[in-house]
Each structure stands twice: as C-alpha cells, then as structure tokens.
Amino acid sequence: MENVNPRVYPTGKHTKPETVTPEMRAQYIARIHAMPTNLRKVAMQLSEKQLTQSYRENGWTARQIIHHLADSHCNMYIRIKLALTSDNPIINPYDENKWAEFPDGKSGDIHISLNLVEALHTRLISTLHSLNNQDFLRTYVHPQYQTQSTIDEVLALYAWHGDHHVGQLQVILND
C-alpha cells in the first residue's frame, strides 16, 4: 500500500473502482448526501484565523477548500446532467487552482458556499434517486485526462472528494 501524507490525504487517495455494485453505489450516494452536513459541522467550528490557514504548506486555506467544494460539486452536477442528456459528451474542464484564487474563493463568506452545497446536493440526490441502473452506466469524456467515466465512477470519485476535503478541514481544526 502506498504511503500517503495524512495531512494531504486524510482519508487516503482515491482508487477508481473496477466495477460498481448497487451496494457500492448506495454507499457513494449516502456519503454524497451526508457531505453538506459534515462540511457545515466542521466549517462552523473553524475560527476566523483557522479559515485563513492551510492544511499543509502551500495548500489552500480552509476558506478556499469550502469554496472549492461548492465549485467542484457544481461542475460534477452539471457533468452528470450532461451525461444523462447527451451521448458520451465531452465535458468542459476548469482550472480549480485559478478558481480558488478569485476573491470569492479567497475571502468570500463561507455561508454562501455552505448553502450552495446544501441546495446543490438536495437536487443531486433527488436526481440520483430518479435514475435506473442503466442510467448510472452513462458516460462523459474528460478531455484533459483523456478518460471516459460512468456516472457510477463519478459518484465514487465525488464521495471520496467530499470526505477528502472535509478531512483536510478537520486537520486544520485539530491543529
């Protein structure tokens, strides 16, 4: 097993599943559903000083992580909807580091992103519960990585993604 820095990867690195069973899918959806509550719980414990601190040298601040989760999960939601409504669409990548440097990411009110994540995940979970098994096999192409991903694989990634960044906030909180 690869040795990873627990400050950078507090929940370990993501491993793409070879196959996704209905049980695994249900677990991913449950984790995605729980993420906004987990995020708010940790975020509301952070002091103003901690919001300006990073989990590692040259890493994003807690505030940037919170805003990144909103940015990233908005993109994920749109990508899933594109996969559901188009045949294997090529999605639009974005530079998350550049997005994190915008004023809304560096100094914006975290409550805006906390509320956005909660509302977005409410819609996402509603959408996911309306899908049949075949829908989860629909795909999109990420041109930056030259990869094709099923919605099941995207759920696995974003279940990890939310846990990963909430874990980084927990590192800052516990410092």
Side-chain angles (χ1 to χ4, degrees):
M1 183 170 166
E2 183 180 359
N3 188 15
V4 297
N5 181 341
R7 293 188 72 79
V8 179
Y9 295 101
T11 61
K13 285 191 173 184
H14 172 66
T15 303
K16 181 179 173 179
E18 288 187 32
T19 59
V20 175
T21 66
E23 294 78 18
M24 292 167 68
R25 179 186 306 135
Q27 290 174 359
Y28 299 146
I29 292 171
R31 287 168 55 199
I32 290 168
H33 184 259
M35 191 280 280
T37 300
N38 297 337
L39 174 61
R40 184 175 289 277
K41 181 179 176 184
V42 175
M44 297 314 298
Q45 296 177 66
L46 294 166
S47 68
E48 280 300 315
K49 181 180 179 188
Q50 287 172 315
L51 285 170
T52 66
Q53 294 174 338
S54 176
Y55 60 98
R56 67 174 172 90
E57 187 176 338
N58 298 318
W60 289 337
T61 65
R63 183 182 310 277
Q64 286 174 303
I65 291 169
I66 293 164
H67 293 306
H68 163 72
L69 281 165
D71 292 342
S72 179
H73 287 227
C74 281
N75 274 283
M76 176 259 303
Y77 177 71
I78 290 167
R79 291 169 178 180
I80 287 173
K81 293 286 280 259
L82 286 169
L84 290 167
T85 58
S86 302
D87 289 329
N88 199 35
I90 298 172
I91 56 93
N92 192 25
Y94 74 103
D95 187 329
E96 62 187 29
N97 289 312
K98 286 182 181 177
W99 283 39
E101 290 301 315
F102 274 89
D104 66 328
K106 287 186 83 163
S107 59
D109 181 351
I110 65 168
H111 293 90
I112 294 168
S113 284
L114 293 173
N115 293 338
L116 176 58
V117 167
E118 288 170 349
L120 177 69
H121 278 237
T122 298
R123 288 204 47 200
L124 172 62
I125 296 303
S126 176
T127 298
L128 295 174
H129 285 309
S130 74
L131 304 181
N132 64 46
N133 287 332
Q134 285 303 113
D135 292 331
F136 289 98
L137 301 178
R138 294 189 61 89
T139 59
Y140 67 69
V141 174
H142 196 300
Q144 181 180 356
Y145 303 117
Q146 295 296 303
T147 57
Q148 182 182 57
S149 298
T150 66
I151 291 175
D152 271 334
E153 292 166 342
V154 172
L155 295 179
L157 174 62
Y158 277 87
W160 170 84
H161 185 259
D163 294 345
H164 167 69
H165 285 303
V166 171
Q168 290 172 336
L169 294 173
Q170 191 70 52
V171 167
I172 295 169
L173 183 63
N174 293 334
D175 275 350

